[in-house]
Amino acid sequence: MYFMSKHADIERLSLLFSEVYPYLAHYITDKYGFKTGYCLDIGAGAGLLGISLAKITDLSIVSIDDDSASIDITVKNILFEGLAHRMTVIETDVYYIPFVDNSFDLIVSRGSVFSWQDLPGAIKEMYRVLKPGGKIFCGGGLGSPEISMRIQQSINSDPLFKKVRNRWREEPYIRDKGQNTAYFVNAIAATGLKGSVIFDCEGIWIEISK
């Protein structure tokens, strides 16, 4: 049982989304092959992606978030899993990552990218701390079609999620697939870096190599 942020609308929603992270961890590991080295998880929330990666690899993982309550919950979840020897938690945002250049082999983020106000600036900062040969994988998705279907059904039908549905409709960063594609493509182009927009894991992602 993971601890969840006091800012979560409904604990059940957070637990439902927790299915996504083990799936993504296996996908990322299979795709990029990083089993050792250093990984940065940005906008970590409750820390579930970093924890899922730590459980199936020997990566040393830094989880960052700009919300102090989320940081507290991430620390508790890491301690609960006995992963404090390989995971570090820092309160900061994507625009200021307090590490020297070329620090991380792998940089991941799920969900928070859509709320970054300066996406080109965020990409440049991630690239700065990425090691040569490293990979950036950030975006949003719901894992497998089966997981996605369960989550969508719950969000659309369960009255407990009405508040969540209403909030998402009001968020300015919620876009349709085409808008997100253009948003990501334009952000990458603005950095002058080479990168790709990919559709996988029931979502859309930015992929950049160094």
Side-chain angles (χ1 to χ4, degrees):
M1 176 70 174
Y2 286 118
F3 299 89
M4 293 297 162
S5 170
K6 67 182 181 181
H7 294 316
D9 292 284
I10 302 168
E11 186 176 272
R12 269 180 62 191
L13 180 64
S14 297
L15 291 172
L16 184 62
F17 270 90
S18 70
E19 287 188 273
V20 174
Y21 297 104
Y23 183 95
L24 285 178
H26 283 282
Y27 172 89
I28 290 166
T29 302
D30 291 344
K31 184 177 178 67
Y32 300 120
F34 292 110
K35 299 290 183 69
T36 61
Y38 295 90
C39 172
L40 176 66
D41 179 18
I42 299 174
L48 303 188
L49 180 54
I51 287 169
S52 296
L53 283 166
K55 288 169 111 175
I56 62 171
T57 70
D58 292 318
L59 286 164
S60 295
I61 297 171
V62 176
S63 298
I64 69 171
D65 202 288
D66 61 1
D67 175 63
S68 58
S70 293
I71 290 293
D72 291 343
I73 299 305
T74 299
V75 170
K76 290 177 181 178
N77 284 335
I78 289 169
L79 292 172
F80 178 78
E81 291 290 349
L83 292 168
H85 61 295
R86 282 199 291 117
M87 296 190 69
T88 303
V89 185
I90 298 174
E91 184 175 349
T92 189
D93 61 35
V94 67
Y95 311 112
Y96 176 70
I97 300 171
F99 289 88
V100 299
D101 298 357
N102 307 318
S103 291
F104 295 96
D105 302 281
L106 176 65
I107 298 176
V108 297
S109 181
R110 182 207 168 271
S112 66
V113 62
F114 302 104
S115 62
W116 297 346
Q117 298 300 309
D118 177 12
L119 184 53
I123 292 171
K124 288 180 180 178
E125 180 67 351
M126 289 189 290
Y127 192 82
R128 179 186 69 79
V129 298
L130 187 69
K131 289 182 180 180
K135 300 286 185 179
I136 294 171
F137 182 74
C138 65
L142 298 178
S144 70
E146 295 77 17
I147 295 172
S148 176
M149 183 178 297
R150 286 196 293 273
I151 291 172
Q152 295 287 359
Q153 287 175 343
S154 294
I155 290 173
N156 291 329
S157 63
D158 195 322
L160 287 174
F161 298 148
K162 181 178 179 181
K163 182 179 178 182
V164 176
R165 293 196 301 271
N166 291 340
R167 177 172 62 81
W168 284 0
R169 290 189 187 105
E170 295 169 359
E171 292 288 359
Y173 59 81
I174 299 299
R175 304 173 174 88
D176 63 30
K177 183 176 178 180
Q179 288 177 312
N180 272 326
T181 303
Y183 178 58
F184 284 1
V185 168
N186 291 338
I188 295 170
T191 67
L193 301 172
K194 292 183 179 180
S196 302
V197 176
I198 62 175
F199 299 94
D200 213 336
C201 298
E202 296 297 299
I204 181 172
W205 309 85
I206 292 171
E207 182 182 62
I208 295 175
S209 304
K210 188 173 187 179

